[in-house]
Amino acid sequence: MLAWGVFQVCALFCLGSRCISPPAAAFWHNMASHALISDGAHLAIVGGGLLGRLLALELSGKGFSIDLYDRGGPEAEFAAARVAAAMLAPLAESAVTEHGVVRMGHYGLARWQALIGQLAEPVYLQQAGTMVVWHRQDAVEAQRFRGILERTQHAIPELPALQLLDRPAMAALEPALSAHFQSGYYLPGEGQLDNRQLLAALVPTMQQRGVRLHWHSPREISDFAPGQTGQPDWVIDTRGLGAKPQWASLRGVRGEVIRVHAPEVNLARPTRLMHPRYPIYIAPKQDHYFVIGATEIESDDMSPASVRSTMELLSAAYTVHSGFAEARILEINTQCRPTLPDNLPAIRQVQPRVLEVNGLYRHGFMISPAVMDATVELLLTGASPLAQRFDMAVSLLAAA
């Protein structure tokens, strides 16, 4: 359910079990009529995961002086982004999220091309669509999924329409799947990227733009006195779950992901297997490397993956392609995604000259370009039409 009253008390209007938002004025709170930062301002970004690096890249490219701090190193070993499958699938994700997130994801498909084009090193980016398949006993679940996606496409007509595939059509797109599945769905235009290549490629490009990188340097917001002599003009907090002491409503949603090398598996695009209990995704990277995942547990537990989850993921992958039987398991990873009560991202200011951006949940790579652009727009103009377009909660301090 989408809960709108994130930063202030707002009424919810409910129709049966479905609650909808109050008037938009309550959602975008105290937007300014002037820029928050001046030309050439000195900004400290606390949190060097995906969003922090993207903001450093974008703001340094606009002439701002940037210091980026993170408790980890350039490998982003503490970031949820390092573990993610990095799928860019707005229509597929509409089955579990709101239309604002879907719009962010659709926006990000084109934006990723421009962002990656700026980088000093190559990053694998694919936009060949998503395959959705199911076993015969799960046809009802597949029909339900199709209905949700068709309603989404009707509400957001700029999304390419789902295509129903019979076995010959599937054989033309993904021959390896046609041997096991009689039908499927194809979601055109969706894609994926290589998360680790991206995180690595951002580092030299930030350095070329003069970003001062402070690895293994954890910082709290209280370590700064923004606006004072010798201090940054503004601080931007993108620490994800690291910001929980300041943003108490943040919670962790655990995911478990397996990386394998499977030379006998030939899949050209991300594939989702419908199942009422353990639906999975398989994201093929370059050179027969695959990311398999889908578990989602309401917990901030960072302990290793359970035997049960691992067996379910691998067993389900094997039913998609028998070549996974001979795959080599490279990693079994767990990580917790930073999530707000409504499962939506938000931007807020609760103290002068400090902007907090958080709550990307399971959609980090899909929506981070939109969240980044809305944040930059807010800093440069004091308002964000993009945030309004994407139903993204923004709360600023009232002007003095």
Side-chain angles (χ1 to χ4, degrees):
M1 183 186 76
L2 177 58
W4 296 100
V6 181
F7 302 124
Q8 56 195 54
V9 178
C10 303
L12 283 174
F13 302 95
C14 297
L15 300 172
S17 61
R18 174 67 172 168
C19 294
I20 60 176
S21 66
F27 194 42
W28 303 292
H29 184 51
N30 288 332
M31 287 231 191
S33 58
H34 55 81
L36 301 183
I37 56 176
S38 57
D39 291 345
H42 174 202
L43 308 175
I45 299 175
V46 183
L50 174 62
L51 186 57
R53 294 182 195 209
L54 288 177
L55 281 167
L57 177 79
E58 186 72 8
L59 290 165
S60 62
K62 294 183 180 298
F64 296 98
S65 174
I66 307 294
D67 282 274
L68 178 67
Y69 297 87
D70 194 79
R71 70 186 180 108
E75 299 82 10
E77 63 268 30
F78 297 118
R82 181 172 174 79
V83 174
M87 292 186 297
L88 313 175
L91 184 57
E93 284 295 298
S94 72
V96 295
T97 193
E98 306 292 337
H99 287 172
V101 172
V102 177
R103 291 188 178 93
M104 286 186 240
H106 185 254
Y107 173 93
L109 287 169
R111 192 69 174 95
W112 270 122
Q113 297 180 36
L115 289 168
I116 289 175
Q118 302 175 37
L119 302 182
E121 298 177 359
V123 173
Y124 175 65
L125 173 66
Q126 179 201 58
Q127 293 186 346
T130 298
M131 297 292 293
V132 181
V133 295
W134 57 90
H135 297 295
R136 184 176 303 175
Q137 65 269 25
D138 299 320
V140 172
E141 183 71 12
Q143 279 293 111
R144 185 192 68 83
F145 181 79
R146 177 184 175 182
I148 295 173
L149 269 56
E150 288 178 338
R151 289 192 292 275
T152 300
Q153 201 278 328
H154 179 75
I156 309 175
E158 60 267 29
L159 290 170
L162 171 152
Q163 298 177 19
L164 178 62
L165 304 177
D166 58 15
R167 179 167 279 172
M170 188 179 302
L173 275 176
E174 285 286 0
L177 294 177
S178 64
H180 301 281
F181 301 97
Q182 295 183 346
S183 57
Y185 304 141
Y186 175 57
L187 313 183
E190 297 195 333
Q192 60 165 327
L193 56 82
D194 189 304
N195 57 322
R196 295 182 181 179
Q197 286 181 5
L198 176 74
L199 291 167
L202 283 164
V203 174
T205 308
M206 288 189 293
Q207 291 172 321
Q208 290 172 6
R209 294 187 177 183
V211 177
R212 294 172 293 278
L213 303 174
H214 305 273
W215 304 122
H216 309 293
S217 301
R219 292 291 186 276
E220 297 292 335
I221 301 305
S222 57
D223 294 330
F224 300 94
Q228 302 298 311
T229 302
Q231 291 285 315
D233 297 300
W234 274 74
V235 175
I236 305 173
D237 187 353
T238 60
R239 288 176 295 162
L241 284 175
K244 188 171 174 58
Q246 288 76 42
W247 203 326
S249 60
L250 274 170
R251 73 187 196 280
V253 177
R254 175 183 167 101
E256 299 171 343
V257 175
I258 302 174
R259 288 179 175 261
V260 303
H261 183 227
E264 297 183 16
V265 178
N266 290 291
L267 293 175
R269 51 183 57 78
T271 298
R272 297 184 180 226
L273 174 67
M274 301 301 303
H275 190 280
R277 193 161 64 87
Y278 46 88
I280 69 161
Y281 59 76
I282 302 170
K285 307 304 179 182
Q286 292 171 301
D287 301 322
H288 294 276
Y289 290 93
F290 295 85
V291 180
I292 304 167
T295 55
E296 186 168 291
I297 303 164
E298 285 284 344
S299 170
D300 57 7
D301 174 19
M302 293 281 197
S303 64
S306 68
V307 170
R308 175 180 174 179
S309 293
T310 302
M311 291 180 64
E312 288 180 346
L313 287 173
L314 294 176
S315 297
Y318 175 73
T319 70
V320 173
H321 196 298
S322 58
F324 281 115
E326 298 302 321
R328 294 299 178 258
I329 298 173
L330 305 176
E331 302 175 21
I332 302 176
N333 294 312
T334 60
Q335 186 52 266
C336 292
R337 302 99 155 187
T339 308
L340 290 166
D342 56 6
N343 295 345
L344 300 174
I347 304 171
R348 74 172 191 175
Q349 181 192 16
V350 296
Q351 55 184 300
R353 295 179 176 266
V354 176
L355 200 65
E356 302 174 51
V357 190
N358 219 315
L360 274 66
Y361 181 39
R362 59 183 274 165
H363 305 116
F365 281 89
M366 189 178 87
I367 68 174
S368 53
V371 176
M372 176 197 71
D373 284 348
T375 303
V376 172
E377 188 177 57
L378 190 65
L379 289 167
L380 296 183
T381 70
S384 179
L386 273 177
Q388 296 183 5
R389 172 180 161 189
F390 300 139
D391 299 335
M392 191 187 311
V394 176
S395 178
L396 300 180
L397 294 177

